[in-house]
mmCIF file of all heavy atoms in Angstrom:
data_model
loop_
_atom_site.group_PDB
_atom_site.id
_atom_site.type_symbol
_atom_site.label_atom_id
_atom_site.label_comp_id
_atom_site.label_asym_id
_atom_site.label_seq_id
_atom_site.Cartn_x
_atom_site.Cartn_y
_atom_site.Cartn_z
ATOM 1 N N ALA W 114 17.260 85.704 -27.429
ATOM 2 C CA ALA W 114 15.875 85.650 -27.630
ATOM 3 C C ALA W 114 15.475 85.836 -29.083
ATOM 4 O O ALA W 114 14.487 86.637 -29.409
ATOM 5 C CB ALA W 114 15.173 86.684 -26.704
ATOM 6 N N GLY W 115 16.192 85.142 -29.963
ATOM 7 C CA GLY W 115 15.766 85.254 -31.404
ATOM 8 C C GLY W 115 16.258 86.424 -32.189
ATOM 9 O O GLY W 115 15.882 86.534 -33.298
ATOM 10 N N ARG W 116 16.989 87.306 -31.507
ATOM 11 C CA ARG W 116 17.529 88.490 -32.282
ATOM 12 C C ARG W 116 18.990 88.526 -32.095
ATOM 13 O O ARG W 116 19.609 87.994 -31.176
ATOM 14 C CB ARG W 116 16.886 89.761 -31.765
ATOM 15 C CG ARG W 116 17.276 90.101 -30.275
ATOM 16 C CD ARG W 116 16.284 91.086 -29.631
ATOM 17 N NE ARG W 116 16.093 92.321 -30.420
ATOM 18 C CZ ARG W 116 15.345 93.322 -30.071
ATOM 19 N NH1 ARG W 116 14.707 93.241 -28.892
ATOM 20 N NH2 ARG W 116 15.214 94.451 -30.782
ATOM 21 N N THR W 117 19.689 89.138 -33.029
ATOM 22 C CA THR W 117 21.137 89.313 -32.998
ATOM 23 C C THR W 117 21.413 90.729 -32.600
ATOM 24 O O THR W 117 21.028 91.716 -33.282
ATOM 25 C CB THR W 117 21.807 88.934 -34.431
ATOM 26 O OG1 THR W 117 21.510 87.551 -34.658
ATOM 27 C CG2 THR W 117 23.318 89.174 -34.312
ATOM 28 N N LEU W 118 22.201 90.926 -31.589
ATOM 29 C CA LEU W 118 22.573 92.214 -31.113
ATOM 30 C C LEU W 118 24.035 92.599 -31.564
ATOM 31 O O LEU W 118 24.803 91.744 -31.892
ATOM 32 C CB LEU W 118 22.536 92.301 -29.586
ATOM 33 C CG LEU W 118 21.250 91.936 -28.885
ATOM 34 C CD1 LEU W 118 21.409 92.007 -27.384
ATOM 35 C CD2 LEU W 118 20.068 92.807 -29.367
ATOM 36 N N SER W 119 24.325 93.919 -31.645
ATOM 37 C CA SER W 119 25.648 94.374 -31.860
ATOM 38 C C SER W 119 25.914 95.349 -30.633
ATOM 39 O O SER W 119 25.027 96.056 -30.170
ATOM 40 C CB SER W 119 25.834 95.062 -33.136
ATOM 41 O OG SER W 119 24.968 96.149 -33.366
ATOM 42 N N PHE W 120 27.208 95.362 -30.314
ATOM 43 C CA PHE W 120 27.558 96.079 -29.054
ATOM 44 C C PHE W 120 28.498 97.278 -29.335
ATOM 45 O O PHE W 120 29.390 97.162 -30.202
ATOM 46 C CB PHE W 120 28.147 95.142 -28.010
ATOM 47 C CG PHE W 120 27.171 94.121 -27.561
ATOM 48 C CD1 PHE W 120 26.980 92.899 -28.207
ATOM 49 C CD2 PHE W 120 26.309 94.450 -26.457
ATOM 50 C CE1 PHE W 120 26.009 92.005 -27.746
ATOM 51 C CE2 PHE W 120 25.377 93.481 -26.029
ATOM 52 C CZ PHE W 120 25.218 92.297 -26.632
ATOM 53 N N GLY W 121 28.437 98.297 -28.427
ATOM 54 C CA GLY W 121 29.290 99.416 -28.494
ATOM 55 C C GLY W 121 29.743 99.689 -26.988
ATOM 56 O O GLY W 121 29.225 99.107 -26.000
ATOM 57 N N VAL W 122 30.657 100.649 -26.839
ATOM 58 C CA VAL W 122 31.164 100.980 -25.462
ATOM 59 C C VAL W 122 30.476 102.257 -25.039
ATOM 60 O O VAL W 122 30.488 103.298 -25.734
ATOM 61 C CB VAL W 122 32.679 101.281 -25.610
ATOM 62 C CG1 VAL W 122 33.212 101.575 -24.254
ATOM 63 C CG2 VAL W 122 33.433 100.085 -26.176
ATOM 64 N N SER W 123 29.761 102.081 -23.881
ATOM 65 C CA SER W 123 28.975 103.195 -23.441
ATOM 66 C C SER W 123 29.821 104.400 -22.867
ATOM 67 O O SER W 123 29.306 105.539 -22.831
ATOM 68 C CB SER W 123 28.018 102.747 -22.261
ATOM 69 O OG SER W 123 28.764 102.470 -21.072
ATOM 70 N N GLY W 124 30.994 104.080 -22.449
ATOM 71 C CA GLY W 124 31.828 105.115 -21.812
ATOM 72 C C GLY W 124 31.627 105.112 -20.302
ATOM 73 O O GLY W 124 32.309 105.887 -19.555
ATOM 74 N N ASN W 125 30.754 104.200 -19.814
ATOM 75 C CA ASN W 125 30.514 104.134 -18.341
ATOM 76 C C ASN W 125 31.133 102.934 -17.741
ATOM 77 O O ASN W 125 31.465 101.976 -18.422
ATOM 78 C CB ASN W 125 28.975 104.175 -18.187
ATOM 79 C CG ASN W 125 28.287 105.410 -18.615
ATOM 80 O OD1 ASN W 125 28.766 106.488 -18.486
ATOM 81 N ND2 ASN W 125 27.154 105.192 -19.317
ATOM 82 N N LEU W 126 31.314 103.031 -16.427
ATOM 83 C CA LEU W 126 31.854 101.937 -15.691
ATOM 84 C C LEU W 126 30.991 101.542 -14.441
ATOM 85 O O LEU W 126 30.286 102.472 -13.936
ATOM 86 C CB LEU W 126 33.237 102.389 -15.090
ATOM 87 C CG LEU W 126 34.308 102.769 -16.075
ATOM 88 C CD1 LEU W 126 35.532 103.307 -15.306
ATOM 89 C CD2 LEU W 126 34.804 101.557 -16.911
ATOM 90 N N ARG W 127 31.039 100.310 -14.028
ATOM 91 C CA ARG W 127 30.442 99.961 -12.825
ATOM 92 C C ARG W 127 31.403 98.973 -12.034
ATOM 93 O O ARG W 127 31.864 98.017 -12.696
ATOM 94 C CB ARG W 127 29.143 99.270 -12.994
ATOM 95 C CG ARG W 127 28.450 98.741 -11.714
ATOM 96 C CD ARG W 127 27.069 98.292 -11.892
ATOM 97 N NE ARG W 127 26.479 97.595 -10.701
ATOM 98 C CZ ARG W 127 26.470 96.288 -10.543
ATOM 99 N NH1 ARG W 127 26.961 95.465 -11.468
ATOM 100 N NH2 ARG W 127 25.989 95.741 -9.408
ATOM 101 N N PHE W 128 31.864 99.452 -10.899
ATOM 102 C CA PHE W 128 32.961 98.700 -10.290
ATOM 103 C C PHE W 128 34.174 98.562 -11.111
ATOM 104 O O PHE W 128 34.824 97.562 -11.155
ATOM 105 C CB PHE W 128 32.522 97.270 -9.762
ATOM 106 C CG PHE W 128 31.323 97.394 -8.730
ATOM 107 C CD1 PHE W 128 30.309 96.442 -8.815
ATOM 108 C CD2 PHE W 128 31.289 98.331 -7.801
ATOM 109 C CE1 PHE W 128 29.251 96.443 -7.883
ATOM 110 C CE2 PHE W 128 30.247 98.396 -6.835
ATOM 111 C CZ PHE W 128 29.253 97.422 -6.888
ATOM 112 N N SER W 129 34.419 99.630 -11.905
ATOM 113 C CA SER W 129 35.610 99.697 -12.739
ATOM 114 C C SER W 129 35.500 98.904 -14.026
ATOM 115 O O SER W 129 36.462 98.841 -14.806
ATOM 116 C CB SER W 129 36.842 99.392 -11.936
ATOM 117 O OG SER W 129 38.004 100.029 -12.610
ATOM 118 N N ASP W 130 34.345 98.215 -14.168
ATOM 119 C CA ASP W 130 34.230 97.308 -15.396
ATOM 120 C C ASP W 130 33.418 98.051 -16.467
ATOM 121 O O ASP W 130 32.486 98.748 -16.168
ATOM 122 C CB ASP W 130 33.505 96.079 -14.937
ATOM 123 C CG ASP W 130 33.329 95.125 -16.146
ATOM 124 O OD1 ASP W 130 34.350 94.703 -16.768
ATOM 125 O OD2 ASP W 130 32.165 94.818 -16.414
ATOM 126 N N MET W 131 33.774 97.754 -17.720
ATOM 127 C CA MET W 131 33.095 98.343 -18.832
ATOM 128 C C MET W 131 31.595 98.052 -18.832
ATOM 129 O O MET W 131 31.217 96.926 -18.665
ATOM 130 C CB MET W 131 33.781 97.814 -20.135
ATOM 131 C CG MET W 131 32.932 98.179 -21.411
ATOM 132 S SD MET W 131 33.656 97.663 -22.947
ATOM 133 C CE MET W 131 34.118 95.979 -22.684
ATOM 134 N N VAL W 132 30.839 99.090 -19.141
ATOM 135 C CA VAL W 132 29.371 98.945 -19.371
ATOM 136 C C VAL W 132 29.236 99.042 -20.941
ATOM 137 O O VAL W 132 29.478 100.075 -21.491
ATOM 138 C CB VAL W 132 28.528 99.992 -18.633
ATOM 139 C CG1 VAL W 132 27.132 99.858 -19.038
ATOM 140 C CG2 VAL W 132 28.736 99.855 -17.130
ATOM 141 N N MET W 133 28.841 97.936 -21.472
ATOM 142 C CA MET W 133 28.542 97.907 -22.938
ATOM 143 C C MET W 133 27.090 98.350 -23.143
ATOM 144 O O MET W 133 26.344 98.401 -22.167
ATOM 145 C CB MET W 133 28.745 96.482 -23.500
ATOM 146 C CG MET W 133 30.020 95.805 -23.076
ATOM 147 S SD MET W 133 30.301 94.158 -23.858
ATOM 148 C CE MET W 133 28.931 93.211 -23.291
ATOM 149 N N TYR W 134 26.778 98.586 -24.357
ATOM 150 C CA TYR W 134 25.325 98.778 -24.758
ATOM 151 C C TYR W 134 25.051 98.078 -26.091
ATOM 152 O O TYR W 134 25.961 97.860 -26.845
ATOM 153 C CB TYR W 134 25.050 100.257 -24.815
ATOM 154 C CG TYR W 134 25.505 101.006 -26.113
ATOM 155 C CD1 TYR W 134 24.670 101.030 -27.160
ATOM 156 C CD2 TYR W 134 26.753 101.525 -26.193
ATOM 157 C CE1 TYR W 134 25.063 101.787 -28.327
ATOM 158 C CE2 TYR W 134 27.175 102.134 -27.313
ATOM 159 C CZ TYR W 134 26.379 102.272 -28.427
ATOM 160 O OH TYR W 134 26.834 102.865 -29.561
ATOM 161 N N ASP W 135 23.867 97.668 -26.188
ATOM 162 C CA ASP W 135 23.537 97.069 -27.512
ATOM 163 C C ASP W 135 22.844 98.164 -28.371
ATOM 164 O O ASP W 135 22.098 99.021 -27.814
ATOM 165 C CB ASP W 135 22.582 95.790 -27.351
ATOM 166 C CG ASP W 135 21.190 96.145 -26.885
ATOM 167 O OD1 ASP W 135 20.322 96.642 -27.702
ATOM 168 O OD2 ASP W 135 20.900 95.955 -25.712
#
Side-chain angles (χ1 to χ4, degrees):
R116 69 199 304 182
T117 298
L118 304 178
S119 61
F120 292 91
V122 182
S123 73
N125 298 318
L126 301 170
R127 178 170 172 263
F128 299 141
S129 204
D130 181 59
M131 169 175 50
V132 176
M133 312 187 296
Y134 77 93
D135 71 76

